Amino acid sequence: MSASFPNPNPAPLAGQAVIRALSAEIELPWPQEEALFARYRDPAPERILDAGCGPGVSTGRLAELFPATQVLGIDAIDADLELARLHYSHLAPRVAF
């Protein structure tokens, strides 16, 4: 058995792994969805609601696609929302969870 050292702060590392995994899953269909979203660029929406946002990966992508739009991500899982708040804090206050 090898010696293991407990991670003093495992939640952020686990959360980052979740963000990376979900980002990879969104990358595949995103080009097809961009054509749909392009229909809403002119004029851009004032607000977008991302219902069931999980840890906020799609919310962050929508915020990038619509840089002048307020984006709100909602979810029933508090841990996912906290992860989204931490990971996408650089987009606040335009993006909220």
Side-chain angles (χ1 to χ4, degrees):
M1 255 171 75
S2 64
S4 64
F5 299 96
N7 183 351
N9 197 2
L13 293 178
Q16 293 302 320
V18 169
I19 294 287
R20 282 193 303 275
L22 289 174
S23 293
E25 287 181 21
I26 284 178
E27 290 294 325
L28 292 175
W30 196 258
Q32 292 88 347
E33 292 175 359
E34 278 192 34
L36 172 68
F37 294 135
R39 296 170 47 192
Y40 299 100
R41 284 193 184 141
D42 190 25
E46 291 180 35
R47 293 175 296 225
I48 294 174
L49 173 65
D50 186 7
C53 69
V57 175
S58 58
T59 312
R61 296 295 299 260
L62 288 166
E64 292 171 359
L65 193 58
F66 298 98
T69 299
Q70 295 286 321
V71 184
L72 174 63
I74 62 170
D75 201 279
I77 301 173
D78 289 337
D80 282 352
L81 292 172
E82 188 57 35
L83 180 59
R85 286 184 195 104
L86 290 171
H87 190 76
Y88 297 101
S89 62
H90 65 283
L91 297 173
R94 191 172 66 79
V95 176
F97 296 93

